[in-house]
Amino acid sequence: MNEFQIVVCLLPIVFMIHDFEEIIFFKPWVNKNSRYLKKRFPFLAKRLLPRMEALSVAAFSVAVFEEFVLLSIITFAAFYFDYYSIWLAVFMAFFIHLFIHIIQWMVLKRYIPAIVTAILAIPYCIWGFIIVLRSHLFTVSEIILLSLAGVIFMVLNLLFAHFLAEKFDKKISIE
């Protein structure tokens, strides 16, 4: 296995370690910080907090599970078929996602459930990005386009994953 393939295979592991922090600390954090968020960001809080407060840890885990399975399939397929374009799109989306958490942390000026593992995952992503550049598999233009495609895919899949999570909560509350 070469260095590029190691970077590819590590993505689901790094993703899951990062999302464990979110799963474990998301609900207590929302409960503890909802008043602060309502005061500091009333417009956003009014739109987002009701959904965040209503989401159970189990439902949030369903969303993470869907993302993990999809990412694992993409990673396995990339490795098996030696075709890395879709993998690079999701890798770059994950990399950008980490910076979004860092920006959230800087704006909120307090711990958010994702910042510790976001900071810890940045070196992996920088190393991975350097390996991608050294591999010469992609031009800079392709990397930019795949990054854009990855972010669009990530947003759409995040909406789908949260849709599944909400359905899960509704189904569980009925039973």
Side-chain angles (χ1 to χ4, degrees):
M1 190 179 301
N2 65 37
E3 200 172 24
F4 181 78
Q5 292 169 325
I6 292 169
V7 168
V8 170
C9 291
L10 282 175
L11 182 58
I13 297 166
V14 174
F15 167 85
M16 207 55 239
I17 291 169
H18 170 68
D19 271 38
F20 279 140
E21 182 184 8
E22 291 184 279
I23 290 168
I24 294 165
F25 295 109
F26 175 76
K27 195 67 171 178
W29 184 88
V30 169
N31 293 338
K32 181 180 177 184
N33 290 282
S34 64
R35 276 203 317 233
Y36 170 77
L37 295 171
K38 287 174 187 172
K39 185 177 179 182
R40 184 129 187 250
F41 307 99
F43 177 76
L44 282 174
K46 188 176 184 178
R47 294 179 51 112
L48 297 176
L49 268 177
R51 295 180 101 169
M52 291 167 59
E53 290 171 330
L55 197 63
S56 71
V57 173
F60 186 71
S61 299
V62 167
V64 171
F65 176 73
E66 183 275 339
E67 292 173 329
F68 176 72
V69 168
L70 186 60
L71 180 61
S72 297
I73 291 168
I74 289 168
T75 299
F76 175 78
F79 187 81
Y80 186 79
F81 294 110
D82 200 32
Y83 179 76
Y84 297 98
S85 294
I86 297 170
W87 177 88
L88 181 61
V90 295
F91 172 80
M92 293 304 295
F94 177 69
F95 197 1
I96 292 164
H97 160 89
L98 298 177
F99 283 106
I100 291 168
H101 284 314
I102 291 170
I103 292 166
Q104 290 170 328
W105 173 59
M106 289 170 34
V107 168
L108 290 174
K109 297 180 175 121
R110 57 178 57 194
Y111 170 81
I112 62 164
I115 192 59
V116 173
T117 52
I119 291 169
L120 292 174
I122 291 287
Y124 157 75
C125 288
I126 292 169
W127 173 59
F129 186 69
I130 291 167
I131 299 304
V132 166
L133 290 174
R134 275 199 232 144
S135 74
H136 301 290
L137 291 173
F138 305 96
T139 66
V140 172
S141 299
E142 289 171 326
I143 292 171
I144 292 168
L145 286 173
L146 287 167
S147 298
L148 179 61
V151 168
I152 292 168
F153 176 76
M154 176 182 67
V155 168
L156 294 174
N157 190 65
L158 187 63
L159 293 171
F160 176 69
H162 280 272
F163 168 79
L164 289 178
E166 289 174 11
K167 288 287 186 196
F168 177 83
D169 263 346
K170 286 178 185 170
K171 182 165 177 57
I172 294 301
S173 66
I174 292 171
E175 294 175 0

